[in-house]
Amino acid sequence: MKKNLTLLLRIIGGFSLLAVIFIFAPYNWMDAMHTALGMGKLPETPVVGYLARSTSAFYALLGALLWFVSFDLWRYRALLIFLGYAIAVFGLALT
């Protein structure tokens, strides 16, 4: 069980860390992805860029945190329980 949780945290953390790319990605990359997903042209207002980059930074930070706590599950047990509930509520709120 411990190995499975460690692996899961590292996989999720690793994929979340990929968001760091979009903290620094050019606007045209984000626009191309937005268009490819069928959502039309990405608005060019400053708030859209700010929100996209800050959300990417949030997910990268969360990924780094998950990766970090995966090395000592017992020590960070309370934090992992909190994160489990918080991420579940966050996911429901976004849905």
Side-chain angles (χ1 to χ4, degrees):
M1 182 69 171
K2 181 180 173 185
K3 287 182 183 183
N4 291 339
L5 181 56
T6 298
L7 181 62
L8 181 65
L9 288 170
R10 289 182 186 171
I11 289 170
I12 294 170
F15 277 109
S16 294
L17 277 168
L18 292 174
V20 80
I21 295 166
F22 290 96
I23 297 171
F24 306 104
Y27 171 81
N28 59 347
W29 290 14
M30 292 187 287
D31 182 44
M33 290 186 73
H34 197 265
T35 302
L37 290 170
M39 296 189 283
K41 183 163 176 50
L42 185 66
E44 293 188 40
T45 58
V47 71
V48 171
Y50 165 77
L51 290 172
R53 293 177 197 287
S54 61
T55 302
S56 295
F58 170 76
Y59 280 110
L61 179 65
L62 179 62
L65 177 64
L66 293 178
W67 188 266
F68 180 80
V69 300
S70 74
F71 288 97
D72 193 347
L73 298 179
W74 184 252
R75 180 177 182 184
Y76 298 110
R77 182 177 180 271
L79 177 61
L80 284 168
I81 291 169
F82 169 77
L83 285 173
Y85 285 114
I87 290 170
V89 170
F90 185 63
L92 287 172
L94 288 180
T95 301

